[in-house]
Amino acid sequence: SLLNYNGTPSRLSATSLRIAGSGVVAPPAAALGGELTLSASSIDVGDAGIRGYAQTNINTTDLRLSGGFDVDGKLVISAGQIFPFTQTAATISASQSITILANGEAPALPFSAGGTLTLSAPIIDQRGTLRAPFGQTVLNATDALTLGEGSITSVSGAGLTMLYGTIADLTLWYGNDLTAPLTAPPEKRITLKAPNIDARSGAVIDLSGGGDLLAYQFVPGSGGSSNYLATSDAVAIMPVSKVSAIDRQQVVHLLNQRIGEGHRPFLAL
């Protein structure tokens, strides 16, 4: 957790940030004061909390979540897009309010599938881009929920080709839980909960179809006798830009397939 004991403002800026704890989040602070501002091109958040600030501001292109993120006071997120990791249940909660703002044009769909993104606060003002491709989004406001003009709340996977789980014996399909075979693709759903919901003209709620989920099975042969991708911290370099690995595996995307004079490869993790 990030803690503020004296009510003074704080600012942290970097190219990329990762905020994660041990799974133990400090209890809410008794008094709130000052503002915390976090700025980076990409920000990854695991199970973490921010305590003691009256307002937390997050400025980023991609806000990627892999667990619970609990904030005291007001939370203002200015982001290109906010999304959960593949097959991950991610939660953003604030004790007073959550405001989502756009940060430039929304980027291309993230390499994510089957995740759940939940926002929970007394007041939620969604004016940015929330995405959970092939997954679920829940906006839970105890007082008021606003979907602003131009906002995007989407679970569509249109245009994505994603690796999602593995196949055993060419018959059983497994996701993260290797003891429970999958019987269907992940369900797409958007849930809006609030006593007062204001969906303004131009707000987009997207449950459209499209995209592909693929699974793989390793077969020993002349190319190798062991499955490298089954090892921890595996890294795969792929020659295409829209294929991603299953959860907890890392992919390096080569956006330019031809590398030669006049071509510079771009590696995107």
Side-chain angles (χ1 to χ4, degrees), residues 240-260:
V240 293
S241 63
K242 289 201 173 182
V243 175
S244 187
I246 64 174
D247 190 32
R248 293 188 298 274
Q249 294 176 351
Q250 194 173 29
V251 161
V252 178
H253 299 284
L254 297 183
L255 301 188
N256 288 322
Q257 297 187 40
R258 176 185 174 190
I259 302 175

Side-chain angles (χ1 to χ4, degrees), residues 121-171:
I123 299 172
I124 298 177
D125 185 5
Q126 155 48 350
R127 289 184 271 162
T129 299
L130 303 176
R131 285 172 167 159
F134 306 104
Q136 301 184 29
T137 296
V138 179
L139 303 183
N140 184 11
T142 56
D143 291 339
L145 168 60
T146 300
L147 301 179
E149 178 182 0
S151 65
I152 299 174
T153 306
S154 173
V155 292
S156 174
L160 286 181
T161 300
M162 298 287 301
L163 285 177
Y164 190 85
T166 59
I167 295 175
D169 299 327
L170 298 179
T171 55

Side-chain angles (χ1 to χ4, degrees), residues 5-267:
Y5 290 106
N6 54 16
T8 58
S10 304
R11 176 179 294 272
L12 180 60
S13 299
T15 302
S16 62
L17 289 175
R18 176 170 173 79
I19 306 171
S22 61
V24 178
V25 178
L32 306 180
E35 291 190 10
L36 171 65
T37 299
L38 305 174
S39 300
S41 296
S42 63
I43 298 179
D44 293 348
V45 179
D47 290 317
I50 294 178
R51 299 296 184 229
Y53 290 96
Q55 179 167 315
T56 297
N57 306 302
I58 295 178
N59 304 307
T60 186
T61 300
D62 284 338
L63 178 59
R64 306 178 292 202
L65 297 121
S66 59
F69 184 40
D70 190 23
V71 178
D72 284 345
K74 300 176 181 179
L75 174 61
V76 179
I77 303 175
S78 177
Q81 61 183 349
I82 302 169
F83 60 93
F85 277 63
T86 292
Q87 300 184 62
T88 297
T91 302
I92 302 175
S93 57
S95 63
Q96 296 181 5
S97 64
I98 297 175
T99 301
I100 308 298
L101 303 175
N103 186 2
E105 293 187 8
L109 285 179
F111 300 116
S112 172
T116 298
L117 176 62
T118 300
L119 272 62
S120 181
I123 299 172
I124 298 177
D125 185 5
Q126 155 48 350
R127 289 184 271 162
T129 299
L130 303 176
R131 285 172 167 159
F134 306 104
Q136 301 184 29
T137 296
V138 179
L139 303 183
N140 184 11
T142 56
D143 291 339
L145 168 60
T146 300
L147 301 179
E149 178 182 0
S151 65
I152 299 174
T153 306
S154 173
V155 292
S156 174
L160 286 181
T161 300
M162 298 287 301
L163 285 177
Y164 190 85
T166 59
I167 295 175
D169 299 327
L170 298 179
T171 55
L172 298 177
W173 181 21
Y174 292 94
N176 282 344
D177 187 353
L178 299 181
T179 65
L182 300 173
T183 58
E187 179 186 11
K188 292 189 297 183
R189 180 188 300 176
I190 294 176
T191 302
L192 307 178
K193 298 179 180 179
N196 300 291
I197 299 177
D198 182 8
R200 299 180 180 175
S201 176
V204 175
I205 300 175
D206 188 0
L207 295 99
S208 61
D212 294 291
L213 293 179
L214 308 178
Y216 78 93
Q217 177 174 348
F218 177 77
V219 179
S222 59
S225 59
S226 62
N227 182 7
Y228 172 73
L229 288 179
T231 62
S232 61
D233 300 324
V235 176
I237 298 178
M238 310 295 289
V240 293
S241 63
K242 289 201 173 182
V243 175
S244 187
I246 64 174
D247 190 32
R248 293 188 298 274
Q249 294 176 351
Q250 194 173 29
V251 161
V252 178
H253 299 284
L254 297 183
L255 301 188
N256 288 322
Q257 297 187 40
R258 176 185 174 190
I259 302 175
E261 185 177 356
H263 293 267
R264 183 176 63 182
F266 177 78
L267 303 184

